[in-house]
Amino acid sequence: MDDKKLLFIVNPRAGKTKSLAPLFDAAAIYSEAGYLVSVRKTTHRGEATELAESLGPEFDVVVCHGGDGTLNETVNGVMRIPREYRPLVSYLPGGSTNDFAARRMKPRSLDVGKFGERNFVYVASFGAFTKTTYTVQQDIKNMFGHFAYLLEGVKNLDTLCPYRMKITADGEVFDGEYLFGAISNSTSIAGLMKLSPDEVSFDDGKFELLLVPVPRTPAAMQALILALINKDYYDSEGLIFRHVKHVTAE
């Protein structure tokens, strides 16, 4: 019987360590499990998408190693493949925060969101902290991890501009000014905000909407800070949290 074929897409820039030992270990484990492993290393942004789309139909499984961005690129490539030829997708985390990493030995269904023409499995967001992933240099992220995100976020606080938005979520309308908004399918956002596993299901056909309105009074600001510190996203009057299937942002 022919070996099952596995495409291993590796982002060499991601992660806190440059040791190749874990990758050799992973390749050995895949081989022992009966997979014929083919490794491809990315050299530029977007290449994981190109590799997954062009080579994916030839493989039973596509495994990506890197951060959340590498996972997102890989999923976008696989989703461009006709459904009957799509391989399974697996994620070997190697980024500096790894919001979406989980260890499972069996395949499971996973909701995939669509933002314009792009797919996402983790989060689509706007406002505070959303630029941090792109503005923090990779070397700094590798050294400091979560702390790098915090540093950059705090540095941006004095230049925060409220976003005037009209958000329509499954027919419910929120019209106002917001500091931050996210449509996510994860228990962690940017390594900073944590959602309860009891509130998040990865395969229920819904994503979680979190909006942070601009506080209008000192008391409202205090309540917002306390809600964020205590991770009380669900019952706080200063935050908006919903489970949704469709969101329009204007």
Side-chain angles (χ1 to χ4, degrees), residues 97 136 140-141 143-153 192:
T97 53
V136 177
I140 300 297
K141 288 167 65 178
M143 289 174 61
F144 295 107
H146 292 73
F147 191 58
Y149 286 90
L150 283 169
L151 283 175
E152 186 68 19
L192 300 173

Side-chain angles (χ1 to χ4, degrees), residues 217-235:
T217 66
M221 174 64 83
Q222 185 178 23
L224 173 60
I225 292 173
L226 286 174
L228 294 175
I229 291 175
N230 296 327
K231 300 178 176 57
D232 182 18
Y233 309 123
Y234 318 110
D235 301 316

Side-chain angles (χ1 to χ4, degrees), residues 56-106:
E58 304 172 21
F59 292 84
D60 300 285
V61 180
V62 173
V63 177
C64 61
H65 168 71
D68 298 327
T70 306
L71 170 65
N72 191 60
E73 285 190 12
T74 302
V75 168
N76 269 275
V78 169
M79 290 299 291
R80 294 175 184 176
I81 299 171
R83 185 183 295 271
E84 61 269 28
Y85 301 112
R86 282 181 198 161
L88 295 174
V89 175
S90 185
Y91 178 37
L92 184 65
S96 49
T97 53
N98 294 320
D99 287 306
F100 205 72
R103 184 172 69 177
R104 287 182 60 89
M105 301 307 293
K106 296 180 180 179

